[in-house]
Structure formats: C-alpha cells, structure tokens
Amino acid sequence: MAAYRSYVQDILPKEQFGSANSFIEVSLQVGMFSASAISGFLLDYTGFLIILIISICLFFFASVLISTIESDKISQMNISGAKGNFVSGIKYIVNKKQS
C-alpha cells in the first residue's frame, strides 16, 4: 500500500494528489471485490492453475504499462524522490549491518 502511494506522489504534480488518492482507494476496493468474485468463479470451473497463469499474465501486462509512465519533471530533479529514498534506505541497512 505504501509503495503505490509513494509511486503516485513521484509521478503526479502535488495538486493532483487528493483526487488521485481517492481514485486509487475506490479502484482498489472495487478491484478486490471483483477479483475475488471472478477468481471464485474460475476456481470452481477451471482450477487453480488457470488462475495462476492469468495472474502471471496480468502482472507482466501491468509491468509494461507502468514502464510507459513518465515521471513528473519536478520529481526527476528532486534527488529525494522514490529512487533517492530507496538508495538512502539501502545505504542505511548496509551501515547498520556493519555496526
């Protein structure tokens, strides 16, 4: 949950955070309800392997879609964006292991 909110903050301008966050919450709830209904139907008629294959295909499709999104220009100039925070987190973990 925290990862997608951070990603949304990294790709959108600040004035769109509220409406984007609302849209994400609604689509998350509708998606969870729909996914459970569809997977229950598929499980009853086909089996678990088909659900697993569909999930893998959708994961790769979503990865391709996400890779086409351009970041906000302000975020690209800000080193403390998602990439900067990730690098800082890794450095912190490495330094704590040595202590």
Side-chain angles (χ1 to χ4, degrees):
M1 295 289 221
Y4 77 81
R5 289 178 192 213
S6 175
Y7 188 69
V8 166
Q9 289 177 0
D10 198 40
I11 64 172
L12 291 177
K14 201 172 213 171
E15 55 273 357
Q16 292 181 350
F17 287 173
S19 59
N21 214 12
S22 300
F23 178 75
I24 288 171
E25 289 298 325
V26 169
S27 61
L28 180 68
Q29 295 300 322
V30 170
M32 289 173 61
F33 179 77
S34 302
S36 60
I38 292 169
S39 63
F41 176 77
L42 287 173
L43 184 61
D44 191 39
Y45 288 103
T46 61
F48 184 71
L49 182 63
I50 299 298
I51 294 173
L52 188 60
I53 291 170
I54 291 171
S55 296
I56 291 169
C57 292
L58 288 175
F59 175 77
F60 284 118
F61 180 69
S63 298
V64 169
L65 289 178
I66 287 175
S67 68
T68 62
I69 297 174
E70 293 182 22
S71 294
D72 185 28
K73 301 249 186 276
I74 296 170
S75 303
Q76 291 175 350
M77 295 186 312
N78 186 2
I79 192 65
S80 66
K83 293 175 187 169
N85 287 339
F86 178 75
V87 172
S88 298
I90 296 297
K91 287 180 183 177
Y92 176 79
I93 291 171
V94 169
N95 289 335
K96 283 297 182 182
K97 276 188 169 183
Q98 293 174 355
S99 305

